[in-house]
Amino acid sequence: MSPQNVTILIIDDDAVLRSLIGSVLRQEGYTVVGDAPSAESGLKVFDATPTDLVLLDINLPGMDGMSLLPELLAKPNAPKVIMVSGEATLDKVKGALSAGASGFVVKPISANKLLSAVSFAISGK
């Protein structure tokens, strides 16, 4: 699947990080359909505009990313989900992957690691 055919939603409480991630993805040809600062607002965006891939921060205000993950994966049009966190303990990474996440990216995020995780989640390569 080429980047032009992949739609992505970014859910992270850090506005600067959402903007930077969006810029990196757009430069590579991906379509960023939206971003949201919380799980609740992210779910609303997803329901209005289903996407192929969600970049989901673990630490969010209100509902956290690990609570939102099973909700997204239970959708009939379930996206691939890459978890994002600055606290990448082995337990968190294992927990996210065993809960169905397609990948895990550690903050601070480098463009190369982000793009590799997105490519792997979409294509499995």
Side-chain angles (χ1 to χ4, degrees):
M1 189 180 284
S2 72
Q4 294 81 9
N5 299 329
V6 178
T7 55
I8 300 175
L9 168 63
I10 304 162
I11 304 174
D12 195 298
D13 59 342
D14 184 332
V16 173
L17 188 59
R18 287 194 316 267
S19 178
L20 289 171
I21 290 172
S23 293
V24 167
L25 294 170
R26 285 183 189 97
Q27 286 176 359
E28 289 298 311
Y30 292 102
T31 301
V32 177
V33 297
D35 63 65
S38 70
E40 294 84 0
S41 59
L43 195 53
K44 287 179 185 170
V45 174
F46 180 82
D47 286 340
T49 312
T51 62
D52 300 312
L53 178 69
V54 175
L55 290 166
L56 178 59
D57 189 10
I58 288 181
N59 296 316
L60 294 167
M63 177 193 297
D64 69 11
M66 288 302 294
S67 299
L68 179 58
L69 177 61
E71 282 194 45
L72 288 170
L73 297 177
K75 298 273 184 190
N77 52 346
K80 301 283 187 178
V81 179
I82 296 174
M83 301 305 291
V84 179
S85 181
E87 300 171 23
T89 64
L90 189 57
D91 286 344
K92 281 198 179 187
V93 175
K94 281 183 175 179
L97 296 175
S98 67
S102 298
F104 198 103
V105 178
V106 181
K107 294 179 185 179
I109 297 173
S110 76
N112 287 341
K113 287 181 183 174
L114 172 67
L115 295 172
S116 292
V118 169
S119 176
F120 183 79
I122 295 299
S123 68
K125 298 177 189 173

